[in-house]
């Protein structure tokens, strides 16, 4: 057990700077005061039960896991739109849905016109006017390039952070990210990708919300658990 004097001299190392234990305490105190004085400083999921349980979205790596077609993307979009409406800068990498589809979802969530009707053009004159007058959130950015190398994602997100003050990054979804490292070893690739996302959250001091798939071998009738996540060992280790 270390004395309080020794603890004060502890240092916390990040990729950008080294803080003494006292400096880290002052930084924590500042965050507490900022959040006390400005309730909007905390990003909310926009889902009452989750916000009550977790208090909001804080710096770290969050993983949402589900079977194919279970609504992971829809949930992530809802969180992204909610955060953007709160005034937070959000970047979403989407391999599942293009930018137009995401706009459809945003319009449906905010002004109540169904995605199906927009896709088919079955909208009334008044609905069309509402869509024309609807101003999308300037804080919500989408990269729908599809499969992307994790190192390219890190570079893109870091540059975006410098330009726009990124506050929330969403990745849809983890198993569609690629890397040229560890060829022919998928488990090592998943581990590397998961590690890079964790490191990115720490270096940019932002929350990252990553979607992930359960293994296809999970029986639809069984209740899956964390061991059924593809690449579960490293994903569980790096998730907050």
């Amino acid at each position: 057990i270390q004395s309080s004097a020794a603890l004060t001299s502890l240092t916390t190392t990040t990729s950008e700077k080294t803080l003494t234990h006292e400096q880290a305490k002052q930084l924590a105190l500042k965050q507490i005061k900022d959040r006390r004085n400005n309730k909007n400083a905390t990003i909310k999921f926009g889902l009452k039960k989750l916000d009550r349980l977790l208090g909001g979205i804080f710096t770290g790596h969050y993983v949402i896991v589900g079977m194919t077609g279970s609504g992971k993307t829809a949930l992530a979009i809802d969180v992204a739109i909610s955060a953007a409406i709160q005034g937070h800068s959000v970047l979403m990498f989407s391999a599942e849905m293009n930018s137009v589809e995401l706009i459809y979802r945003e319009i449906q969530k905010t002004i109540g016109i169904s995605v199906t009707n927009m896709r088919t053009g079955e909208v009334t004159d008044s609905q069309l006017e509402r869509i024309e007058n609807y101003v999308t959130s300037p804080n919500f950015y989408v990269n729908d390039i599809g499969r992307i190398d994790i190192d390219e994602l890190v570079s893109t997100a870091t540059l975006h952070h410098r330009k726009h003050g990124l506050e929330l990054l969403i990745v849809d979804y983890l198993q569609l990210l690629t890397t040229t490292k560890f060829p022919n070893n998928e488990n090592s690739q998943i581990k590397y990708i998961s590690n890079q996302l964790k490191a990115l959250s720490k270096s940019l001091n932002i929350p990252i919300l990553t979607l992930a798939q359960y293994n296809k071998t999970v029986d639809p009738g069984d209740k899956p658990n964390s061991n059924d996540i593809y690449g579960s060992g490293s994903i569980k280790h790096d998730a907050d």
Side-chain angles (χ1 to χ4, degrees), residues 17-32:
K17 58 187 176 181
T18 300
L19 300 178
T20 66
H21 191 69
E22 179 61 28
Q23 287 171 327
K25 188 191 84 171
Q26 291 303 320
L27 182 60
L29 183 60
K30 181 180 183 301
Q31 287 183 351
I32 293 167

Side-chain angles (χ1 to χ4, degrees), residues 161-178:
H161 184 265
R162 290 197 197 107
K163 288 184 174 181
H164 304 289
L166 181 60
E167 295 174 85
L168 173 64
L169 175 64
I170 298 177
V171 180
D172 181 15
Y173 58 93
L174 187 143
Q175 286 95 344
L176 285 180
L177 297 177
T178 63

Side-chain angles (χ1 to χ4, degrees), residues 54-72:
L54 300 177
I57 311 173
F58 304 95
T59 299
H61 184 204
Y62 299 76
V63 180
I64 294 177
V65 189
M67 303 290 286
T68 300
S70 61
K72 298 185 301 298

